[in-house]
């Protein structure tokens, strides 16, 4: 990307707060805006703003492609692979043509449904 997007947390929080004030407390919109603000504060509090900024830039990059790390014919094969120690948190895999994300839970890795672009009607994946 030609210009790197910057994240001004205080400015975003001010905008979210102003929008929150425009909605009735407890409404669907009010709750969604509150949640968005809390998510941003959490990212900053956990010292993950640099990681988030990198992710944000990747998502906005028109050349960004989802990289599928591994292909499996069955869920059982993928589950066995998880146990080998080769899998890493946030790896994108494909099982029988469907996308999954490796997710770290306390004490173990698991698979979460994460549709690939071709499943959603776009083709932004990288094999």
């Amino acid at each position: 990307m030609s210009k790197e997007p910057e994240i001004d947390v205080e400015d975003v929080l001010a905008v979210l707060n102003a929008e929150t004030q425009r909605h009735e407390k407890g409404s669907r919109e009010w709750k969604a805006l509150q949640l968005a603000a809390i998510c941003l504060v959490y990212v900053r509090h956990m010292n993950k703003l640099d990681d988030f900024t990198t992710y944000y830039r990747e998502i906005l990059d028109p050349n960004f492609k989802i990289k599928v790390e591994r292909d499996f014919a069955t869920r059982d094969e993928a589950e066995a692979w998880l146990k080998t120690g080769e899998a890493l948190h946030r790896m994108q895999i494909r099982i029988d043509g469907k996308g999954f994300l490796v997710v770290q839970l306390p004490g173990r890795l698991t698979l979460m449904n994460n549709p690939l672009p071709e499943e959603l009607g776009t083709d932004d994946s990288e094999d």
Side-chain angles (χ1 to χ4, degrees), residues 8-22 33-34 36-37 40-41 44:
D8 181 343
V9 173
E10 295 307 319
D11 186 52
V12 173
L13 290 172
V15 169
L16 289 170
N17 183 53
E19 281 302 308
T20 300
Q21 301 305 316
R22 295 175 48 160
L33 290 162
Q34 285 289 304
L40 185 56
V41 170
R44 182 176 62 185

Side-chain angles (χ1 to χ4, degrees), residues 43 46-58 90:
V43 167
M46 298 302 291
N47 294 319
K48 296 292 184 181
L49 194 54
D50 288 342
D51 291 345
F52 178 76
T53 300
T54 299
Y55 176 77
Y56 177 66
R57 289 175 180 156
E58 287 175 353
R90 299 189 331 192

Side-chain angles (χ1 to χ4, degrees), residues 20 23-32 34:
T20 300
H23 298 280
E24 183 179 335
K25 186 174 183 174
S27 69
R28 178 175 175 250
E29 294 83 358
W30 185 91
K31 288 177 185 177
Q34 285 289 304

Side-chain angles (χ1 to χ4, degrees), residues 112-123:
M112 181 178 79
N113 289 339
N114 191 36
L116 295 166
E118 61 261 25
E119 293 177 73
L120 301 172
T122 64
D123 191 10

Side-chain angles (χ1 to χ4, degrees), residues 10-127:
E10 295 307 319
D11 186 52
V12 173
L13 290 172
V15 169
L16 289 170
N17 183 53
E19 281 302 308
T20 300
Q21 301 305 316
R22 295 175 48 160
H23 298 280
E24 183 179 335
K25 186 174 183 174
S27 69
R28 178 175 175 250
E29 294 83 358
W30 185 91
K31 288 177 185 177
L33 290 162
Q34 285 289 304
L35 179 61
I38 291 168
C39 287
L40 185 56
V41 170
Y42 177 81
V43 167
R44 182 176 62 185
H45 176 76
M46 298 302 291
N47 294 319
K48 296 292 184 181
L49 194 54
D50 288 342
D51 291 345
F52 178 76
T53 300
T54 299
Y55 176 77
Y56 177 66
R57 289 175 180 156
E58 287 175 353
I59 291 298
L60 293 180
D61 184 348
N63 298 314
F64 175 75
K65 303 281 187 207
I66 293 174
K67 183 178 181 198
V68 176
E69 301 284 342
R70 296 285 303 262
D71 271 289
F72 299 95
T74 67
R75 176 80 182 229
D76 287 341
E77 288 177 17
E79 295 285 350
W81 172 74
L82 283 180
K83 294 175 184 170
T84 68
E86 295 177 40
L88 299 174
H89 177 63
R90 299 189 331 192
M91 279 183 152
Q92 180 74 46
I93 67 169
R94 187 182 294 122
I95 303 172
D96 190 28
K98 303 214 181 315
F100 289 85
L101 190 65
V102 176
V103 178
Q104 178 70 57
L105 296 178
R108 69 184 177 99
L109 291 172
T110 191
L111 297 173
M112 181 178 79
N113 289 339
N114 191 36
L116 295 166
E118 61 261 25
E119 293 177 73
L120 301 172
T122 64
D123 191 10
D124 294 335
S125 64
E126 179 181 288
D127 290 320

